């Protein structure tokens, strides 16, 4: 259902931009949905990182972030491309994880995720 990409190796203080496509979801289904980015490290439960509300006519969907990423990460959506983004700036080693996207409510099956590694 979801295809994540954009992960990789970054140095502390660096940036990465993650993308998440929903190629099999039609636009009329995609636009009203709320979505989220999650992350998971080995041995830990998946953590909610950022959420974005439904599409609006003004492109100002509501966003929310976990405290640990506030001011550093930005979630956005391109409804025409059925794609979510997570811009990650000022990365820290504790951001190292596999990142996933999914619906915020009643998540669908999980994609493969994209690995983000922050290391000197």
């Amino acid at each position: 259902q979801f295809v994540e990409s954009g992960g990789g190796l970054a140095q502390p203080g660096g940036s990465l931009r993650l993308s998440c496509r929903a190629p099999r979801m039609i636009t009329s289904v995609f636009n009203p949905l709320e979505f989220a980015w999650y992350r998971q490290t080995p041995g830990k439960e998946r953590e909610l990182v950022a959420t974005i509300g439904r599409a609006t006519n003004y492109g100002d969907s509501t966003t929310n972030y976990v405290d640990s990423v506030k001011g550093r990460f930005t979630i956005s959506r391109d409804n025409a491309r059925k794609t979510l983004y997570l811009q990650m700036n000022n990365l820290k080693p504790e951001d190292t994880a596999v990142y996933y996207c999914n619906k915020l409510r009643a998540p669908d099956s999980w994609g493969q995720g994209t690995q983000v590694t922050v290391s000197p």
Side-chain angles (χ1 to χ4, degrees):
Q1 184 73 296
F2 299 99
V3 180
E4 299 94 346
S5 63
L9 176 64
Q11 292 188 340
S15 298
L16 287 172
R17 189 192 193 205
L18 307 185
S19 298
C20 168
R21 297 185 299 112
R24 289 183 284 178
M25 193 178 289
I26 60 176
T27 302
S28 60
V29 172
F30 183 89
N31 287 357
L33 290 175
E34 300 171 293
F35 292 99
W37 281 96
Y38 303 81
R39 64 187 179 188
Q40 188 171 25
T41 54
K44 293 188 177 181
E45 292 189 359
R46 193 172 281 127
E47 174 191 27
L48 179 65
V49 175
T51 68
I52 189 163
R54 61 181 297 160
T56 70
N57 292 333
Y58 304 99
D60 58 349
S61 302
T62 301
T63 59
N64 287 287
Y65 303 90
V66 67
D67 285 347
S68 60
V69 307
K70 280 182 181 177
R72 301 188 297 121
F73 290 11
T74 303
I75 187 173
S76 60
R77 60 189 295 164
D78 184 332
N79 300 308
R81 292 182 168 83
K82 296 177 293 181
T83 299
L84 306 172
Y85 300 99
L86 187 67
Q87 177 67 44
M88 306 188 297
N89 298 328
N90 191 21
L91 283 163
K92 302 178 180 181
E94 52 264 41
D95 295 321
T96 296
V98 179
Y99 284 72
Y100 303 87
C101 66
N102 211 318
K103 297 188 303 182
L104 177 61
R105 306 181 197 286
D108 289 336
S109 58
W110 295 92
Q112 292 189 333
T114 185
Q115 174 71 48
V116 171
T117 303
V118 183
S119 179

